[in-house]
Amino acid sequence: MNILTPPVSPPRDGRIVILTGAGISKESGLETFRDAGGIWSKVRLEDVATPEAFARDPERCHAFYNMRRARHGAADIQPNAAHHALVKLEAQWPGEVLVVTQNVDTLHDRAGSKNLIHMHGTYNQARCNRCEHVIPNTGDLSTSDVCTACGEAGGMRPNVVWFGEMPMEMARIYDALSDCALFLSIGTSGNVYPAAGFVAVVRKHAAAHTAELNLEPSAGATLFAEAHYGPATETVPAYVEGLLQSL
Ligand code: BJW
């Protein structure tokens, strides 16, 4: 399904801010959260994705994230055509292209996106809950891990953002949203704030165009000026080509 709501007027220059969610990585082999059969249909988020869950049962949180980290690191998980299209856009667009991903996978990084914010953190880092020290980490975490900075055991956790925690680099994100020519939302259901509220922030700026590229209408679909529905590996390269051809 392809819906265009006229008037559609993508810009020819200026800053582009692109919000991505789990849907962009689906065709790389990673699960989404809220689709049928998705992660939250198998495990309660209250049991694994809140600071309270980690305090209550850190071993359970570690098992959940160790399993997903291992899956993300598997050889068959590779960036797809949508990730690559955003790299091409960053290279060829005459203005700034900023990708703000909610995903904790590293597929945008591996595809080659340079101007990239992981607002919900990444799997490949661990953080000490006691002193906030962050280290690179690609292996399993456990409650016996000791922080190399403060020497405390038991506080090492994935450097991801759980419910009730503040997402990362919010000041930089809101600065970019408040002065962009185009806001693109790709592969996100629009259920989780503050990311779900970004389109409303952008709409306050009359000159900004907004577009949603998703498998189906998101919770905030009516707020976008333009929408294209289909698999990200099809809609994203096509949308990027359209933008670049209009230059
Ligand atoms: C495809 C596709 C294909 C599939 N091609 N598309 C009441 C009202 C408003 C807000 C709140 C409220 N109560 C609480 C809040 C705040 C809360 C919140 O939003 N809760 C909602 C549930 C209501 N938010 C927070 O707590 C956030 N922090 C915050 O607000 O800080 C401020 C604050 C702090 C302290 C006190 C007070 C205020 C933090 C949110 C953290 C989210 N963390 C997670 C886990 C990260 C680690 C991990 O990966 O385990 O982030 S939850 C999970 O959801 C993950 C995702 O990044 C996030 C968003 O999911 P996403 O990406 O949208 O995935 P899906 O599955 O939902 O959607 C996929 C989409 O893709 C679908 O639409 C498909 O159709 C589509 N699709 N295949 C294209 N091939």
Side-chain angles (χ1 to χ4, degrees), residues 170-199:
M170 290 310 298
R172 191 176 150 209
I173 294 170
Y174 281 124
D175 275 355
L177 291 172
S178 68
D179 184 21
C180 67
L182 171 63
F183 174 69
L184 278 181
S185 177
I186 303 173
T188 178
S189 64
N191 281 299
V192 176
Y193 288 82
F198 289 172
V199 62

Side-chain angles (χ1 to χ4, degrees), residues 114-202:
K114 300 277 182 264
N115 199 20
L116 171 66
I117 294 176
H118 278 277
M119 66 175 288
H120 290 165
T122 64
Y123 278 119
N124 61 3
Q125 292 180 333
R127 182 170 92 239
C128 176
N129 237 354
R130 312 273 156 78
C131 75
E132 301 296 321
H133 185 61
V134 174
I135 57 167
N137 177 69
T138 51
D140 284 358
L141 289 174
S142 83
T143 50
S144 57
D145 291 328
V146 174
C147 175
T148 53
C150 71
E152 292 282 332
M156 296 308 290
R157 54 165 282 185
N159 191 26
V160 302
V161 178
W162 288 325
F163 284 99
E165 296 183 321
M166 194 60 78
M168 299 174 184
E169 300 197 54
M170 290 310 298
R172 191 176 150 209
I173 294 170
Y174 281 124
D175 275 355
L177 291 172
S178 68
D179 184 21
C180 67
L182 171 63
F183 174 69
L184 278 181
S185 177
I186 303 173
T188 178
S189 64
N191 281 299
V192 176
Y193 288 82
F198 289 172
V199 62
V201 173
V202 171

